[in-house]
Amino acid sequence: MRRCHISPVPALIMTILLTLIVGTLGFGQDVTLTDVTFSQLDWYSPEYTLAVENSMWGQLNFSYVSDTTTTYYLNLAIEAQDFTVQWMVGNLPLFPSLTEMSKDESVNFDLTQLGYAEGDDVIAVTYALVVTSYPLESMPTEPMIDGAVFSEIRYAWMFPQSGDTPLAVRFPTNVDLPDSARQVGADRVINRVEEAAAHCYAGAMARSIDWLNRTHHLGMDAGAQEIYDSLVGRGLSNSTDGSSPSDWLNRKEGFAISHSGGKITTKTWTHDSTMNFIDWLKREIKTEDVEIWFDHTDTTFGHIVTVVDVFQDSNGDIYVKYKDDGRQGDDTSGNRTKTVKITFGGDGKYRFGSDGCPIVQCVSESVRSQSSAGITHGRRKLRRVFNQHQNQYHNPRAATDLHFSIGVFDSIDGWSITMPGFGTVEGTQNGPFQFRVDANYGAVPYCTYLKIPISVFVKPGRDWDYIILNDIQWTYESGSKSTDSAVGGPGYSYSIAEPVNAGPDGYAITITLSNINDTATIVFSDVGAFASDVYYDDITIIDYPAIIDTVTLAPGESVGFDIYSPDNSIKHIYGYFGINYAGSDEENAEWFDAPMIVYLCGDANGDTSMNIGDAVYLINYIFKGGPAPDPECVGDANGDGSTNIGDAVYLIQYIFSGGPSPVDDCCD
């Protein structure tokens, strides 16, 4: 990665005032639009030499203050040289935010669609710019506005080499978010950083560290620009001492650790990683910041940007909103938010934008969880979902009962279970380590799958993480277990070891799958697991990264595999596997969530301490649509079975008036 964009060129920006077009835009009362400009991009070398004048790329820039409830849609149509009208930007969503915030955005479009070729100087066009509270089904055709709307200022994207012959450089084309796109992460206010030429790495890192500092109250006095200056001083981005991007990353980590008291840690994804990039990105963006480094060629000549938001549409396609300094070296503009689509090519590379800039590396910073001394109440809630297949009784008969046992190597403190399709469900605890479930008076047809969610509550202990499912039986005719019953599935277990420091790879967590049958062979398939700080309500819809395709275990055999976490503060281990056993041609399945933390009732914001911040967090959640406690049940400080304003009042009385302490069974 040698050079980043942009070189400045003096020129005049023509601004279209909102007051002239507000009736056309159709904004609601809570939204404003300002600073609408059009530009044409130029190519510049790192020495600021003009290489390609008047490129095929046009750019629409605009600012607005987001609404708090309504999504608006921006549309742009431009009259082509043959007098036809082309829909250049279609239904670009302007999403609402939890609070009103100022947003600057840019959209790039291809001028060849208007009949222009590279080198043509676009001076004047006729256009329609419309914003509505609903997506348009056809492009806007009026009111058409005439005038010299393309400013003479020309944006300079980076040029790959000195000299007269430019390389073939890909430009990450901005796209419109589909109407079906839904936000994967959360609103981020990413502050601007004005970068010097070739210092995009320092700029991207500074925006992210500044966001972490403000979000997690890390106490850094410096703002984003001051952090950038410090990183440049450490030799980040195009250093003259021969250092590489890996050196820059180490220097950034040194800065982050020293300025945050060791709270900031770093995770990376690289193009040669076995981890699915989309899965990695979706997980990280929920709670962390992310920077993406992509190449403009298939070499190591690239650019790094700060991710603002990630969206996924109904087709599963991923879109990234990002921010960079759009005009490096010029402090008068840039730092607008742009949108691209992430694609995956036949060459096995993930690419940034539909034009195919290969993604080389991604960096994510997170803040270590800070443990509080003296926490004794709370418990771990182990979650499992079984996908149990009824393959014993054919029509016209149907299974009437299902029986199985759950075991752990620690004291069971309670459980909850959902069994659809049965008249009664009884649980009987057999000693401190096991309970048996008998679901009776059902009618489960042949070839039916039942998804059975179970939560097991255990007090923190050394061996809480060893889970057994055993003695599974289907029965025909209720109460006739002794006369007509059949094995419904194999006995098996999984265990999760304590994290072990694995050096540069972070902490290794070993997961072991075991066949505990005496005679039956088990085939485990599509095994996937990962460590996460995010709480997922539905663990059956997670995209689990594949670890083992298929493994066959004879009776008594086990198989272990490692997953990794950058630090020892991980909150959850999620996993999935399919199960086939001897004599069965159908696959059962299991999903699991093994929390590595103790739930502290009343700790609504998840910082492992009890203070006024938790009451404020609950108020924002209840009245302002803020994020929910993770999981929601930890917000139930008074133990009434729901999370509401009463819990915020309860916490305030506990903190300031000596009221009763929060309950210790909120997540039962």
Side-chain angles (χ1 to χ4, degrees):
M1 179 164 147
R2 295 178 295 168
R3 297 285 179 177
C4 304
H5 68 294
I6 271 176
S7 306
V9 285
L12 173 67
I13 298 180
M14 176 176 290
T15 302
I16 305 172
L17 298 177
L18 173 64
T19 54
L20 297 179
I21 56 176
V22 67
T24 302
L25 294 178
F27 267 112
Q29 183 178 357
D30 296 329
V31 177
T32 59
L33 180 71
T34 58
D35 300 327
V36 179
T37 62
F38 292 84
S39 302
Q40 188 176 8
L41 308 183
D42 285 347
W43 296 104
Y44 275 76
S45 72
E47 291 76 22
Y48 305 115
T49 302
L50 181 63
V52 178
E53 187 174 18
N54 299 325
S55 76
M56 67 185 73
W57 297 106
Q59 189 175 83
L60 166 67
N61 308 298
F62 61 95
S63 303
Y64 69 100
V65 176
S66 62
D67 192 80
T68 58
T69 58
T70 305
T71 299
Y72 290 90
Y73 301 89
L74 184 146
N75 290 269
L76 171 68
I78 298 179
E79 185 177 284
Q81 289 187 306
D82 62 0
F83 301 108
T84 61
V85 179
Q86 302 295 319
W87 200 352
M88 306 305 293
V89 179
N91 292 315
L92 175 70
L94 307 180
F95 287 99
S97 305
L98 294 180
T99 59
E100 290 186 357
M101 61 179 67
S102 179
K103 296 186 177 182
D104 304 320
E105 300 207 18
S106 295
V107 179
N108 298 315
F109 51 86
D110 187 355
L111 292 172
T112 60
Q113 297 181 49
L114 302 176
Y116 294 99
E118 189 170 80
D120 291 345
D121 188 5
V122 182
I123 301 298
V125 295
T126 298
Y127 71 98
L129 181 62
V130 176
V131 176
T132 61
S133 59
Y134 53 89
L136 298 182
E137 295 183 359
S138 58
M139 69 177 173
T141 57
E142 58 181 36
M144 299 299 290
I145 301 175
D146 295 316
V149 296
F150 271 78
S151 61
E152 293 185 1
I153 187 169
R154 296 180 175 92
Y155 283 51
W157 197 259
M158 83 177 161
F159 182 67
Q161 64 180 29
S162 304
D164 298 326
T165 307
L167 294 174
V169 178
R170 296 184 179 93
F171 188 80
T173 308
N174 285 145
V175 298
D176 305 330
L177 281 173
D179 184 46
S180 64
R182 295 294 179 264
Q183 193 175 43
V184 175
D187 284 319
R188 284 167 169 74
V189 179
I190 302 295
N191 287 336
R192 65 187 298 137
V193 171
E194 298 294 348
E195 305 166 9
H199 282 296
C200 57
Y201 207 106
M205 295 300 175
R207 293 184 196 92
S208 285
I209 294 174
D210 171 68
W211 178 79
L212 284 173
N213 181 40
R214 290 181 288 106
T215 301
H216 295 279
H217 310 291
L218 299 180
M220 296 186 197
D221 294 332
Q225 194 66 45
E226 290 77 17
I227 294 172
Y228 164 82
D229 293 337
S230 297
L231 294 175
V232 171
R234 285 178 173 248
L236 267 72
S237 300
N238 203 36
S239 308
T240 58
D241 60 1
S243 58
S244 66
S246 61
D247 296 322
W248 305 345
L249 186 61
N250 291 334
R251 295 173 184 181
K252 186 277 302 181
E253 285 189 277
F255 172 88
I257 291 171
S258 63
H259 284 74
S260 68
K263 296 177 183 177
I264 295 179
T265 61
T266 298
K267 292 169 274 187
T268 58
W269 178 92
T270 61
H271 63 92
D272 55 359
S273 171
T274 58
M275 170 68 75
N276 180 288
F277 171 64
I278 299 300
D279 293 339
W280 185 90
L281 178 63
K282 287 165 62 178
R283 285 199 297 272
E284 294 303 306
I285 201 62
K286 290 180 182 295
T287 56
E288 320 300 349
D289 66 286
V290 176
E291 303 86 61
I292 295 179
W293 169 21
F294 59 89
D295 284 342
H296 286 285
T297 66
D298 282 303
T299 61
T300 55
F301 171 70
H303 180 52
I304 188 167
V305 300
T306 308
V307 176
V308 176
D309 272 324
V310 175
F311 297 84
Q312 186 170 22
D313 67 11
S314 57
N315 296 321
D317 293 329
I318 295 293
Y319 299 81
V320 169
K321 284 196 171 187
Y322 69 96
K323 181 170 285 191
D324 60 359
D325 184 0
R327 294 166 58 193
Q328 288 183 316
D330 182 345
D331 293 348
T332 62
S333 72
N335 281 272
R336 293 186 177 271
T337 302
K338 291 151 247 184
T339 305
V340 298
K341 181 179 179 180
I342 302 297
T343 58
F344 185 74
D347 57 359
K349 294 181 179 180
Y350 292 94
R351 296 184 177 269
F352 191 79
S354 57
D355 294 81
C357 303
I359 296 174
V360 177
Q361 185 185 71
C362 295
V363 179
S364 169
E365 287 84 23
S366 59
V367 174
R368 294 179 186 271
S369 299
Q370 302 299 302
S371 59
S372 298
I375 297 175
T376 58
H377 60 297
R379 60 191 72 193
R380 286 188 170 98
K381 177 184 179 182
L382 317 179
R383 294 190 297 161
R384 308 177 71 176
V385 178
F386 306 114
N387 203 33
Q388 192 68 33
H389 184 253
Q390 201 286 89
N391 62 348
Q392 298 299 325
Y393 298 100
H394 293 259
N395 292 335
R397 301 204 298 174
T400 57
D401 310 310
L402 176 61
H403 320 275
F404 56 87
S405 297
I406 297 290
V408 299
F409 280 7
D410 206 332
S411 179
I412 296 174
D413 211 23
W415 66 88
S416 65
I417 184 171
T418 301
M419 295 284 290
F422 293 94
T424 63
V425 180
E426 299 176 352
T428 305
Q429 188 155 342
N430 301 325
F433 308 125
Q434 179 175 288
F435 68 93
R436 180 172 177 81
V437 176
D438 295 299
N440 303 308
Y441 305 106
V444 183
Y446 183 71
C447 280
T448 296
Y449 279 103
L450 295 182
K451 279 191 176 180
I452 307 169
I454 297 178
S455 296
V456 183
F457 300 94
V458 296
K459 292 180 179 178
R462 179 179 179 85
D463 296 316
W464 64 268
D465 51 3
Y466 194 94
I467 313 295
I468 300 170
L469 175 67
N470 201 12
D471 193 23
I472 307 168
Q473 289 185 320
W474 288 103
T475 300
Y476 171 65
E477 292 184 355
S478 295
S480 302
K481 285 181 278 186
S482 60
T483 58
D484 195 349
S485 63
V487 174
Y492 58 89
S493 68
Y494 68 83
S495 64
I496 301 172
E498 294 292 332
V500 176
N501 194 326
D505 293 326
Y507 282 78
I509 300 123
T510 300
I511 300 177
T512 302
L513 302 177
S514 301
N515 180 354
I516 62 174
N517 283 277
D518 294 330
T519 57
T521 296
I522 299 178
V523 178
F524 291 92
S525 59
D526 300 322
V527 181
F530 65 93
S532 175
D533 285 336
V534 179
Y535 181 86
Y536 295 96
D537 290 308
D538 188 348
I539 60 177
T540 68
I541 63 173
I542 299 173
D543 295 328
Y544 288 93
I547 296 175
I548 298 175
D549 182 24
T550 300
V551 61
T552 301
L553 299 181
E557 287 187 338
S558 300
V559 62
F561 55 90
D562 291 337
I563 60 174
Y564 293 89
S565 171
D567 55 48
N568 198 15
S569 64
I570 200 68
K571 293 181 179 178
H572 297 269
I573 305 297
Y574 292 103
Y576 167 83
F577 48 84
I579 311 108
N580 283 83
Y581 67 103
S584 171
D585 58 357
E586 296 293 336
E587 182 181 81
N588 297 322
E590 179 169 342
W591 298 259
F592 64 83
D593 166 25
M596 307 295 283
I597 60 170
V598 177
Y599 291 120
L600 176 61
C601 299
D603 179 23
N605 61 11
D607 65 357
T608 68
S609 63
M610 204 84 67
N611 50 47
I612 190 60
D614 299 299
V616 173
Y617 193 94
L618 286 174
I619 291 170
N620 284 330
Y621 165 58
I622 295 163
F623 293 108
K624 298 184 178 181
D630 178 15
E632 185 179 13
C633 58
V634 301
D636 180 20
N638 62 12
D640 66 357
S642 62
T643 299
N644 51 44
I645 189 59
D647 299 299
V649 173
Y650 191 92
L651 285 173
I652 292 171
Q653 291 175 337
Y654 165 64
I655 295 165
F656 294 107
S657 303
S661 62
V663 300
D664 64 359
D665 56 355
C666 55
C667 289
D668 280 12

